[in-house]
């Protein structure tokens, strides 16, 4: 049985086979994506692969610079060929919870701008129902206490995220509420309900966005496509 980090490396590198010359790529965040960015850098160096990426976090941008993956931004291009990202939970319909790293808003903007969205996880992330992982909800700092009270009425006990004793601030200058819904039976409805609250910027529910899922498990990579669910 491989450990989780070995599975992340395996799947993070495996997805790079889908990258072709000339592609514009959304680069997600998290430890699995580290291996993807590293592998992409190798292909740029060894094959002269001509690609450009838009990073979803400052950390990913730093990795791209370190490994030699050229970057751009949305002032230069409007559409991406593919976005690749990790996830915190994936259900059998390829619906996701994301945002453990706090990059969910940029991740969603980037995934939405891509023709295809590939999700890379180790097997510990696959679940029958979303919600055991607390749902990250990005909120505007002003009046976050009022917003949290409204979020709580939807059936959770929101916790303001902190890091090293300080309130965690996203790359967009917002706060994160981690919301323990436990079992989300109607994720699409919850997404609509949360987004209708003033003060909520975005949620970590990624509905109907995944094109292909790659799962690292026991030294193998198992693939599942959107069409397999129909
Ligand atoms: C960050 C995310 C990450 O993609 C998610 O947390 C997975 O991270 P890792 O690959 O480290 O397990 O959503 O906001």
């Amino acid at each position: 049985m491989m450990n989780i980090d070995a599975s992340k490396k395996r799947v993070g590198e495996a997805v790079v086979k889908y990258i072709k010359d000339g592609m514009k790529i959304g680069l997600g965040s998290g430890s699995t994506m580290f291996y993807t960015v590293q592998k992409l850098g190798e292909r740029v160096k060894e094959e002269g692969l001509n690609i450009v990426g838009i990073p979803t976090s400052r950390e990913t941008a730093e990795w791209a610079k370190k490994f030699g993956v050229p970057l751009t931004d949305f002032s230069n291009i409007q559409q991406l060929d593919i976005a690749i990202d990790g996830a915190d939970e994936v259900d059998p319909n390829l619906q996701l919870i994301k945002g453990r790293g706090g990059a969910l808003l940029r991740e969603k903007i980037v995934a939405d701008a891509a023709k295809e969205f590939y999700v890379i996880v180790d097997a510990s992330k696959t679940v029958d129902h979303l919600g055991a992982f607390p749902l990250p909800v990005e909120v505007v700092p002003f009046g976050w206490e009022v917003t949290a009270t409204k979020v709580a009425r939807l059936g959770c006990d929101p916790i303001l995220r902190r890091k090293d004793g300080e309130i965690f601030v996203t790359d967009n200058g917002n706060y994160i509420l981690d919301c323990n819904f436990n079992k989300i039976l109607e994720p699409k409805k919850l997404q609509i309900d949360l987004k209708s609250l003033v003060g909520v910027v975005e949620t970590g529910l990624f509905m109907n966005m995944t094109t292909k899922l790659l799962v690292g498990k026991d030294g193998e990579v198992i693939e599942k496509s959107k069409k397999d669910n129909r």
Side-chain angles (χ1 to χ4, degrees):
M1 173 81 105
M2 291 187 101
N3 68 30
I4 286 181
D5 201 50
S7 295
K8 285 183 181 199
K9 183 171 191 301
R10 185 79 197 252
V11 74
E13 291 181 349
V15 73
V16 173
K17 70 179 179 219
Y18 288 107
I19 302 303
K20 299 190 185 76
D21 205 48
M23 275 188 162
K24 302 179 184 82
I25 310 162
L27 299 170
S29 300
S31 56
T32 316
M33 274 305 300
F34 171 86
Y35 297 111
T36 304
V37 178
Q38 190 177 41
K39 190 77 184 167
L40 277 172
E42 277 173 33
R43 287 194 59 193
V44 168
K45 215 171 286 167
E46 287 163 16
E47 302 167 30
L49 192 70
N50 176 29
I51 52 169
V52 69
I54 293 190
T56 55
S57 63
R58 292 188 184 136
E59 190 176 45
T60 299
E62 278 167 25
W63 295 337
K65 281 177 201 142
K66 181 173 171 198
F67 295 124
V69 176
L71 295 179
T72 187
D73 59 45
F74 285 120
S75 66
N76 294 315
I77 52 174
Q78 287 279 305
Q79 198 181 41
L80 298 161
D81 297 295
I82 186 171
I84 306 169
D85 209 343
D88 299 304
E89 280 187 347
V90 187
D91 81 4
N93 297 316
L94 310 192
Q95 314 288 31
L96 316 175
I97 286 184
K98 288 182 48 55
R100 185 178 52 82
L104 62 103
L105 176 57
R106 292 189 188 195
E107 289 170 345
K108 203 177 266 192
I109 290 171
V110 165
D112 191 55
K115 289 184 220 158
E116 299 199 311
F117 181 41
Y118 281 34
V119 176
I120 49 171
V121 294
D122 63 84
S124 71
K125 308 289 187 60
T126 57
V127 296
D128 290 334
H129 293 281
L130 299 177
F133 185 91
L135 176 67
V137 177
E138 183 157 346
V139 298
V140 172
F142 182 80
W144 73 266
E145 299 91 336
V146 184
T147 309
T149 302
K150 291 180 189 156
V151 170
R153 287 192 198 118
L154 296 177
C156 67
D157 187 13
I159 308 279
L160 182 67
R161 187 178 295 186
R162 291 178 186 272
K163 193 177 174 190
D164 303 326
E166 305 287 330
I167 295 176
F168 176 84
V169 180
T170 70
D171 282 354
N172 319 297
N174 295 316
Y175 293 170
I176 299 274
L177 300 174
D178 289 304
C179 302
N180 59 338
F181 286 99
N182 297 320
K183 199 169 184 181
I184 301 174
L185 293 175
E186 295 181 287
K188 287 179 199 162
K189 181 175 184 308
L190 182 61
Q191 169 67 9
I192 292 166
D193 289 348
L194 283 166
K195 282 288 295 254
S196 73
L197 299 176
V198 175
V200 168
V201 179
E202 194 46 84
T203 91
L205 283 168
F206 282 50
M207 298 290 100
N208 302 338
M209 297 183 90
T210 310
T211 310
K212 194 183 273 287
L213 172 70
L214 285 81
V215 183
K217 191 179 180 192
D218 300 336
E220 286 184 67
V221 174
I222 299 158
E223 301 195 4
K224 193 172 172 184
S225 295
K226 193 166 62 175
K227 58 178 168 19
D228 299 337
N229 289 321
R230 287 185 193 140

